[in-house]
Amino acid sequence: MKFIADLHIHSHYSLATSKNLTPEHLDLWAQLKGIDVIATGDCIHPAWLKELKEKLEPNKSGLYRLKDRYRLRTEDIKLPKKVKKEINFILQTELSCIYKKNGKVRKVHSITILPDFASAEKLQKQLEKKGNIESDGRPILGIDAKNILAMTLVSNDKAFVIPAHIWTPWFSVLGQNSGFDSISECYEDLTKYIFALETGLSSDPPMNWACSFLDGFRLVSNSDAHSPEKLGREANIFDTELSYDGVYNALKNDSGFTGTIEFFPEEGKYHFDGHRKCGICFSPGESIKHKGICPVCKKSVTKGVASRVESLSDRKDLNGFKNRKEFYSITSLPSILSEILSCGVASRKVKEAYFDVIDKVGSDFYTLLFAGLDEIRHRKGEVLSEAVKRLRQKKVHIKEGFDGKFGRIKVFSDKEMKEIGNKVSLAARTNPFDKMS
């Protein structure tokens, strides 16, 4: 069966995250988003693991489900039947490794996926001997990323590691500032146990296809969410048995992993080169022209993902590349509603509009990717239908992200927005979740 999975998030025990990153809210928001399998995040953090063991229970698929008594029962929550479903949890954590190798300081983030609580506890015991795993849900450890992989493999023969957001400049296996020039340089003789790579928000599959040394890996995408609302910023599409073994075998053996749901890479906050404080944003070509120097402060710009991929790529013509997976490029539904309504993405007006779309059309992913345009037009009007149509056709207006600043994707031009003006009203009811915050 086809299902959508987000395999990398965080909990409320990670720094700079929402207090609502709890199993209850993850279950609720996964339904709203249209996600079938959601990661737990931070599963080796002692307090979070205790909370997960209290609130989740194993289901027959080798995954976990929220216990019925913990489901949110606020009277104001009236999920439409069309989005209600049982959400499957998969145990996951992200680990930050800072260490020195081959004469250079390396900063590599790793996603670890585990099949059960016993495996999580086994890994937890190994890691607490090496460093502090209680101060942050994503602990910082002075351990070689290769050793993290080895510890994961010891915890369970079906546990696995996915190098996280592999191109991010500061904290990734291929990052410009602290990474390596290949996956094998990092993991050496254990590279054969790495079978999937997370491409990150600032790159998409075609960018990765340009690097032939990545051909043998499944290219996955996840939200890395720091709040429930950010679930599914990116996600994975499977067509296999909905189970832990189904996910594991699909990624390991390339059997049942069909593709990804992606940010437009330009919207990622490390796509182009630049200096945020100086307001300088360079494409790779412009960066070369300026010799990588910011014309304002005369210091080196932060090299982005586009430049890093270009420096390691060896495949110019992608037409003959056969190992393609399907992918969809999207921006968030609240961002589209914010554009249509000419108000902030976090505004009450956008929140009301968002929940009304979910109520009248269906889940976030269903609306953006699968609903018929006529259905959207009938239920929510011509403007939203046209916006979704343009998004699917990738006819968008792009402002690239750089040096930690997210880019912007718009579906209408400024002139069109003036014509739309205040004639559009998408909000038909109040936000039913206000009492939960």
Side-chain angles (χ1 to χ4, degrees):
M1 65 175 291
K2 278 199 172 185
F3 61 90
I4 294 174
D6 185 349
L7 303 176
H8 176 192
I9 71 163
H10 288 280
S11 75
H12 60 96
Y13 287 98
S14 281
L15 298 179
T17 58
S18 168
K19 65 180 181 180
N20 286 336
L21 276 170
T22 64
E24 301 96 308
H25 286 83
L26 292 173
D27 182 86
L28 173 64
W29 277 90
Q31 292 180 71
L32 291 168
K33 294 288 183 174
I35 298 168
D36 302 283
V37 178
I38 187 71
T40 61
D42 304 346
C43 72
I44 58 97
H45 186 277
W48 181 236
L49 181 58
K50 181 180 179 181
E51 184 173 348
L52 292 174
K53 291 178 70 175
E54 174 189 338
K55 295 179 178 180
L56 301 183
E57 61 186 4
N59 58 25
K60 295 179 181 179
S61 66
L63 299 169
Y64 290 83
R65 66 183 295 274
L66 184 67
K67 293 177 181 177
D68 289 338
R69 66 176 178 271
Y70 289 106
R71 297 192 186 281
L72 293 168
R73 299 186 184 280
T74 305
E75 291 182 1
D76 288 330
I77 299 174
K78 297 180 181 179
L79 278 178
K81 290 182 180 179
K82 63 184 70 176
V83 302
K84 284 185 178 180
K85 59 183 174 182
E86 181 160 296
I87 300 303
N88 300 270
F89 287 83
I90 191 168
L91 300 181
Q92 169 265 327
T93 190
E94 182 181 12
L95 304 173
S96 176
C97 301
I98 301 179
Y99 59 103
K100 194 167 185 178
K101 188 169 187 174
N102 300 335
K104 182 179 177 180
V105 174
R106 312 292 180 170
K107 300 178 181 180
V108 178
H109 283 193
S110 301
I111 304 163
T112 293
I113 308 289
L114 298 147
D116 51 44
F117 286 133
S119 304
E121 290 172 334
K122 191 172 182 179
L123 179 60
Q124 182 188 75
K125 290 178 180 178
Q126 294 183 80
L127 293 174
E128 65 186 1
K129 296 176 183 177
K130 303 292 185 179
N132 184 351
I133 63 171
E134 296 186 23
S135 62
D136 188 356
R138 181 187 62 198
I140 299 173
L141 303 164
I143 306 174
D144 191 311
K146 175 186 174 182
N147 294 337
I148 291 292
L149 173 57
M151 291 179 186
T152 299
L153 296 173
V154 168
S155 71
N156 191 290
D157 60 3
K158 286 191 176 179
F160 59 100
V161 165
I162 303 174
H165 39 70
I166 59 172
W167 297 105
T168 302
W170 304 104
F171 298 99
S172 68
V173 67
L174 298 177
Q176 173 76 34
N177 300 312
S178 58
F180 301 86
D181 289 340
S182 68
I183 305 300
S184 59
E185 186 183 356
C186 176
Y187 295 102
E188 300 173 330
D189 58 310
L190 295 185
T191 302
K192 60 185 178 182
Y193 296 105
I194 298 290
F195 43 79
L197 307 171
E198 183 185 66
T199 59
L201 302 180
S202 296
S203 79
D204 64 3
M207 292 173 66
N208 289 267
W209 296 341
C211 299
S212 64
F213 69 93
L214 301 181
D215 287 356
F217 302 97
R218 256 57 67 207
L219 302 175
V220 303
S221 294
N222 302 292
S223 68
D224 195 0
H226 285 221
S227 69
E229 295 86 348
K230 296 297 185 182
L231 294 180
R233 287 192 294 186
E234 294 196 326
N236 307 284
I237 305 171
F238 292 84
D239 190 359
T240 185
E241 179 183 77
L242 203 170
S243 66
Y244 185 90
D245 285 347
V247 171
Y248 177 80
N249 291 327
L251 293 177
K252 182 179 181 181
N253 302 317
D254 196 15
S255 175
F257 173 67
T258 66
T260 51
I261 299 168
E262 302 275 340
F263 251 38
F264 285 87
E266 296 89 349
E267 192 173 3
K269 61 183 180 179
Y270 290 107
H271 184 69
F272 268 2
D273 304 349
H275 260 178
R276 179 172 43 173
K277 290 184 178 179
C278 298
I280 296 299
C281 176
F282 288 154
S283 67
E286 291 171 325
S287 193
I288 291 173
K289 181 180 178 180
H290 287 85
K291 298 181 180 179
I293 301 299
C294 173
V296 177
C297 67
K298 310 303 179 183
K299 296 180 180 179
S300 297
V301 297
T302 299
K303 288 293 185 70
V305 169
S307 285
R308 180 60 169 165
V309 171
E310 188 170 293
S311 70
L312 295 181
S313 65
D314 58 356
R315 182 182 284 132
K316 302 300 180 183
D317 182 9
L318 298 182
N319 292 324
F321 180 60
K322 297 180 180 180
N323 193 27
R324 295 172 180 265
K325 302 292 184 183
E326 65 180 345
F327 71 96
Y328 300 91
S329 298
I330 63 170
T331 190
S332 75
L333 180 55
S335 291
I336 292 174
L337 298 176
S338 170
E339 182 182 350
I340 293 173
L341 295 171
S342 298
C343 55
V345 71
S347 68
R348 183 180 183 87
K349 196 173 182 181
V350 167
K351 289 179 181 178
E352 291 172 351
Y354 176 79
F355 291 116
D356 195 55
V357 171
I358 301 298
D359 182 43
K360 297 220 170 28
V361 181
S363 72
D364 201 313
F365 281 145
Y366 176 76
T367 300
L368 293 180
L369 299 176
F370 308 120
L373 295 176
D374 287 341
E375 178 185 0
I376 298 173
R377 185 180 300 109
H378 172 70
R379 297 181 182 278
K380 289 307 305 173
E382 182 67 40
V383 177
L384 182 58
S385 176
E386 178 64 21
V388 172
K389 176 183 176 181
R390 294 186 185 190
L391 185 71
R392 293 177 185 179
Q393 295 176 344
K394 301 185 180 181
K395 294 181 178 179
V396 297
H397 303 270
I398 295 172
K399 185 175 182 180
E400 293 83 359
F402 66 99
D403 194 21
K405 181 178 181 179
F406 282 106
R408 179 73 195 274
I409 302 297
K410 296 177 65 177
V411 291
F412 297 111
S413 67
D414 292 340
K415 180 180 179 181
E416 287 173 316
M417 286 311 305
K418 288 181 181 179
E419 293 175 355
I420 293 173
N422 296 319
K423 298 178 182 179
V424 180
S425 178
L426 291 169
R429 64 187 178 98
T430 58
N431 179 355
F433 306 101
D434 282 342
K435 292 184 178 180
M436 299 184 335
S437 59

